[in-house]
Amino acid sequence: MSVLTVTKGNFQKEVVESEKPVLLDFWAPWCGPCRMVAPVLEEIAGERTDIQVGKVNVDEQPELASQFGVMSIPTLVVMKGGKPVAQSVGAMPKEEILAML
């Protein structure tokens, strides 16, 4: 599957009501560590059909960023059943991201 762009408009349907766990990446285009994590998330999205990977641009979606208390980016949040179950801040290797799931 491809990485989904998550917005305030589709958050309820794509994240809260998702049948699969959702890995959310809070990022911004100007963030160097975010750009390092992006290809890893693309890879995970391509390999894992049992999860959904979504990206939230914090510049365009400040309401979602504040809803999750995002102070630094990249912030990764794992959602299951519409609730956050894991959260981490900063770039991390693929193995650590997969371990969150």
Side-chain angles (χ1 to χ4, degrees), residues 36-74:
M36 290 169 40
V37 170
V40 175
L41 295 175
E42 294 278 349
E43 204 175 288
I44 292 170
E47 293 171 355
R48 298 279 302 262
T49 57
D50 60 322
I51 62 165
Q52 174 66 55
V53 178
K55 294 177 73 75
V56 180
N57 183 326
V58 296
D59 290 339
E60 296 172 0
Q61 304 297 323
E63 301 92 346
L64 285 177
S66 70
Q67 181 180 330
F68 284 89
V70 174
M71 302 304 274
S72 300
I73 53 175

Side-chain angles (χ1 to χ4, degrees), residues 11-23:
F11 181 80
Q12 181 70 29
K13 177 180 179 292
E14 299 292 351
V15 178
V16 176
E17 296 172 8
S18 175
E19 309 252 325
K20 302 176 182 180
V22 180
L23 174 61

